[in-house]
């Protein structure tokens, strides 16, 4: 376990994507609304598993995420698993 004065930063990408059209994804703002990529069911499970792993070892106080849909969806799943940790969207 970590001591009270220890601080850690954990980095993760978004969960697996649901991309049946095989679109080369970009920033949401550069895509048509109907082409914005979301995380898949597997991606949701991946974020929940990551949350369980982090919860065992660390006290997570914040989640920083990009404003892209796939990143926000991943952060929301992670936050739920961690008990509602605050999500900060970095524009």
């Amino acid at each position: 376990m970590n001591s009270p004065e220890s601080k850690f930063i954990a980095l993760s990408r978004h969960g697996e994507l649901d991309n049946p059209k095989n679109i080369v994804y970009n920033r949401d703002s550069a895509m048509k609304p109907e082409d914005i990529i979301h995380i898949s069911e597997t991606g949701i499970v991946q974020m929940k598993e990551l949350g369980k792993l982090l919860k065992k070892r660390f006290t997570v106080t914040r989640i920083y995420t990009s404003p892209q849909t796939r990143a926000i969806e991943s952060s929301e799943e992670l936050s739920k698993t961690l008990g509602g940790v605050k999500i900060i969207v970095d524009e």
Side-chain angles (χ1 to χ4, degrees), residues 1-2 6-12 47 49-64 75 77-88:
M1 283 296 167
N2 53 331
S6 296
K7 304 233 186 283
F8 296 90
I9 296 175
L11 300 175
S12 171
M47 291 297 103
E49 290 301 314
L50 176 60
K52 290 176 190 175
L53 177 69
L54 289 171
K55 196 172 189 175
K56 285 181 187 176
R57 304 256 345 224
F58 304 104
T59 301
V60 179
T61 58
R62 290 177 292 272
I63 298 171
Y64 291 89
S75 297
E77 292 302 327
L78 188 57
S79 176
K80 283 185 221 174
T81 304
L82 292 168
V85 172
K86 181 177 181 172
I87 298 172
I88 300 167

